[in-house]
C-alpha cells in the first residue's frame, strides 16, 4: 500500500508540474516523473505480458520525451526563448507535434497503446487512458497557436479512421477501449488549433465516461466479450449503467457524449472545414459499430434454463482423464 501511495502521489505530482509550468525543462521533468511512476503499476503482476507492456511503454515514452527536449532546445537555440507559449520555430513545432502524438498514441505513433493497455490491469489502464493523457494535451493546448493545422488535421482524421477500423475485429475489451481512445484523440486533435477549450471539454467528458466504463468492468471482472455476455445476472444495475455509458461514448444524441462531437462539428463548419467535419463524422460510425456490439453484449440476458445448465455443467465438469478417455 505504501508503494502504491508513493506511485500515485508521483503521478499527481508529475501531472501538476507539467500542467502548471511555463518553462520547457519543468514540463519535461513532469513528463519524466509521470513515466517513471506508472511503470511499476503496469508491471505489478510480474506476468510476461505485463513486463512486455511496461518495456514497450518505457521505450516509447523515453523517445517522446527526448523529442520534446530536442524540440525545446532547437527553439531556444534559434529564438532564445524557453517559454512554452513562445514556440515559434517551424522545425520545433513539427518535432513537438510528433513527440506529443507519440505520447498520446495518435496515428502513426499508435502501435504501443493497445499492446500496453492489454498487458495492464484495468485500474492501470484507466490511468493510462485518462490522467496520462492530460500533460501532453496541456502542452498541445499551450502551443496550439504555433502548430501546423494541416498536419494536425491529417493526424486526427487518420486516428479516427484507424481507431474505428482496428476496433471492429477485437474480442478483448481492453483493446477495444484502447482503439476507442485513439478515435477520441482524433476528435480532440482536429479542433485544438481552432478552439482549444473544446478539446479540454471533450477530454473531461471522455475521462468521466471512460472512468465509469473501466471501474464497472473492474467491478464485474470482465476482460473479454464472451464473459461480458454472462454478467447481466451478477449486478443488473451496473450493467445498465455500463450500457448507457458505452452508448454515450459512441456519441448517440440524448447522451452526454453527443455534446462535444456536435460542438466540434459546428466549429469545424464555422472554420470552412465542412469536408473534414463530414469525413470525421462518417469515420466515427466505425467506432459506433463496436460500441453497439459491446452494448449488445452487455444487454444480453440469458434465459433461466441456460443459466441452470451452465451452473450444472460447472459443478459436473468432466475431468481431464474423462476427456482423454473420450478422445481415445
Amino acid at each position: 500500500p505504501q508503494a502504491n501511495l508513493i506511485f500515485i502521489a508521483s503521478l499527481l505530482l508529475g501531472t501538476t508540474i507539467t500542467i502548471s509550468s511555463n518553462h520547457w525543462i519543468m514540463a519535461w521533468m513532469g513528463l519524466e516523473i509521470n513515466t517513471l511512476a506508472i511503470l511499476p503499476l503496469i508491471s505489478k503482476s510480474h506476468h510476461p505480458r505485463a513486463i512486455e507492456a511496461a518495456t514497450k511503454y518505457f521505450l516509447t515514452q523515453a523517445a517522446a520525451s527526448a523529442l520534446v527536449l530536442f524540440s525545446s532546445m532547437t527553439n531556444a537555440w534559434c529564438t532564445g526563448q524557453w517559454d512554452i507559449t513562445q514556440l515559434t520555430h517551424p522545425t520545433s513545432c513539427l518535432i513537438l507535434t510528433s513527440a506529443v502524438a507519440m505520447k498520446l498514441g495518435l496515428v502513426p505513433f499508435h502501435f504501443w497503446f493497445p499492446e500496453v493497455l492489454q498487458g495492464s490491469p484495468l485500474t492501470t489502464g484507466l490511468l493510462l487512458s485518462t490522467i496520462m493523457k492530460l500533460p501532453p494535451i496541456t502542452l498541445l493546448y499551450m502551443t496550439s497557436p504555433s502548430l501546423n493545422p494541416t498536419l494536425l488535421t491529417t493526424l486526427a482524421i487518420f486516428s479516427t479512421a484507424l481507431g474505428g477500423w482496428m476496433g471492429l475485429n477485437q474480442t478483448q475489451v481492453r483493446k477495444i477501449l484502447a482503439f476507442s481512445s485513439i478515435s477520441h484523440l482524433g476528435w480532440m486533435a482536429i479542433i485544438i488549433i481552432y478552439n482549444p477549450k473544446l478539446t479540454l471539454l471533450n477530454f473531461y467528458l471522455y475521462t468521466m465516461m471512460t472512468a465509469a466504463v473501466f471501474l464497472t468492468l473492474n467491478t464485474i471482472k470482465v476482460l473479454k466479450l464472451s464473459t461480458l455476455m454472462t454478467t447481466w445476472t451478477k449486478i443488473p444495475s451496473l450493467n445498465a449503467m455500463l450500457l448507457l455509458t458505452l452508448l454515450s461514448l459512441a456519441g448517440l444524441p440524448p447522451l452526454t457524449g453527443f455534446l462535444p462531437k456536435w460542438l466540434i462539428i459546428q466549429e469545424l463548419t464555422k472554420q470552412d472545414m465542412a469536408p473534414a467535419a463530414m469525413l470525421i463524422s462518417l469515420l466515427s460510425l466505425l467506432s459506433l459499430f463496436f460500441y453497439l456490439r459491446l452494448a449488445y453484449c452487455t444487454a444480453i440476458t440469458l434465459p433461466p434454463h441456460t443459466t441452470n445448465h451452465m451452473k450444472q455443467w460447472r459443478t459436473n465438469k468432466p475431468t481431464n482423464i474423462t476427456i482423454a478417455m473420450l478422445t481415445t
Side-chain angles (χ1 to χ4, degrees):
Q2 287 87 354
N4 263 346
L5 185 65
I6 290 169
F7 297 140
I8 298 292
S10 301
L11 267 180
L12 294 173
L13 175 69
T15 305
T16 310
I17 287 174
T18 303
I19 65 179
S20 59
S21 60
N22 288 319
H23 198 283
W24 274 113
I25 297 296
M26 289 297 289
W28 172 80
M29 203 163 72
L31 291 171
E32 286 299 299
I33 292 171
N34 256 2
T35 303
L36 293 175
I38 196 79
L39 285 173
L41 297 176
I42 297 173
S43 58
K44 192 166 58 174
S45 66
H46 299 296
H47 191 272
R49 280 302 296 269
I51 304 296
E52 182 191 340
T55 310
K56 283 179 179 173
Y57 185 77
F58 172 72
L59 292 173
T60 314
Q61 297 300 309
S65 293
L67 282 176
V68 167
L69 205 55
F70 181 51
S71 160
S72 56
M73 286 173 68
T74 309
N75 189 63
W77 180 273
C78 297
T79 64
Q81 288 287 343
W82 279 101
D83 198 317
I84 293 178
T85 53
Q86 301 298 319
L87 189 79
T88 50
H89 196 260
T91 311
S92 298
C93 293
L94 189 65
I95 297 169
L96 181 80
T97 308
S98 306
V100 172
M102 201 181 287
K103 283 257 174 211
L104 289 171
L106 283 170
V107 174
F109 308 105
H110 66 283
F111 297 102
W112 63 273
F113 189 52
E115 298 296 325
V116 170
L117 214 62
Q118 179 61 28
S120 311
L122 279 168
T123 43
T124 312
L126 169 60
L127 292 175
L128 284 169
S129 300
T130 54
I131 291 178
M132 298 302 289
K133 304 283 189 206
L134 183 56
I137 282 182
T138 311
L139 289 180
L140 270 187
Y141 181 88
M142 289 194 280
T143 55
S144 58
S146 316
L147 299 178
N148 185 345
T150 313
L151 176 63
L152 270 175
T153 305
T154 309
L155 289 179
I157 286 172
F158 276 114
S159 297
T160 314
L162 196 128
W165 201 264
M166 296 288 286
L168 292 180
N169 207 24
Q170 301 296 333
T171 55
Q172 298 286 334
V173 173
R174 282 171 294 184
K175 278 200 172 178
I176 290 177
L177 289 171
F179 288 115
S180 140
S181 179
I182 293 169
S183 179
H184 274 88
L185 284 168
W187 280 88
M188 293 176 215
I190 200 167
I191 201 65
I192 195 152
I193 298 270
Y194 308 106
N195 195 338
K197 287 181 182 176
L198 260 185
T199 298
L200 288 185
L201 172 70
N202 196 348
F203 178 72
Y204 295 148
L205 292 178
Y206 165 74
T207 301
M208 281 170 53
M209 292 183 286
T210 308
V213 170
F214 269 103
L215 293 173
T216 307
L217 292 172
N218 190 44
T219 307
I220 57 182
K221 299 287 179 284
V222 166
L223 295 175
K224 291 185 290 189
L225 281 181
S226 53
T227 49
L228 187 62
M229 289 182 187
T230 59
T231 54
W232 184 264
T233 50
K234 290 181 188 173
I235 313 174
S237 54
L238 258 187
N239 266 56
M241 194 185 79
L242 181 61
L243 172 69
L244 287 172
T245 314
L246 287 167
L247 293 177
S248 182
L249 268 174
L252 288 183
L255 302 162
T256 316
F258 174 66
L259 173 70
K261 291 189 174 181
W262 178 39
L263 292 173
I264 287 171
I265 290 168
Q266 193 178 22
E267 185 64 32
L268 286 174
T269 314
K270 281 182 191 171
Q271 299 289 342
D272 292 332
M273 290 184 66
M278 185 182 71
L279 191 57
I280 204 167
S281 307
L282 288 173
L283 290 171
S284 71
L285 292 175
L286 289 169
S287 43
L288 174 65
F289 176 82
F290 64 73
Y291 283 126
L292 283 176
R293 190 172 62 163
L294 272 173
Y296 175 69
C297 288
T298 309
I300 283 179
T301 312
L302 289 173
H305 59 84
T306 317
T307 318
N308 292 336
H309 284 320
M310 284 174 70
K311 282 178 186 169
Q312 192 179 352
W313 185 82
R314 282 197 195 107
T315 50
N316 306 326
K317 197 185 292 186
T319 60
N320 289 339
I321 300 168
T322 319
I323 293 168
M325 286 170 67
L326 286 169
T327 313
T328 311

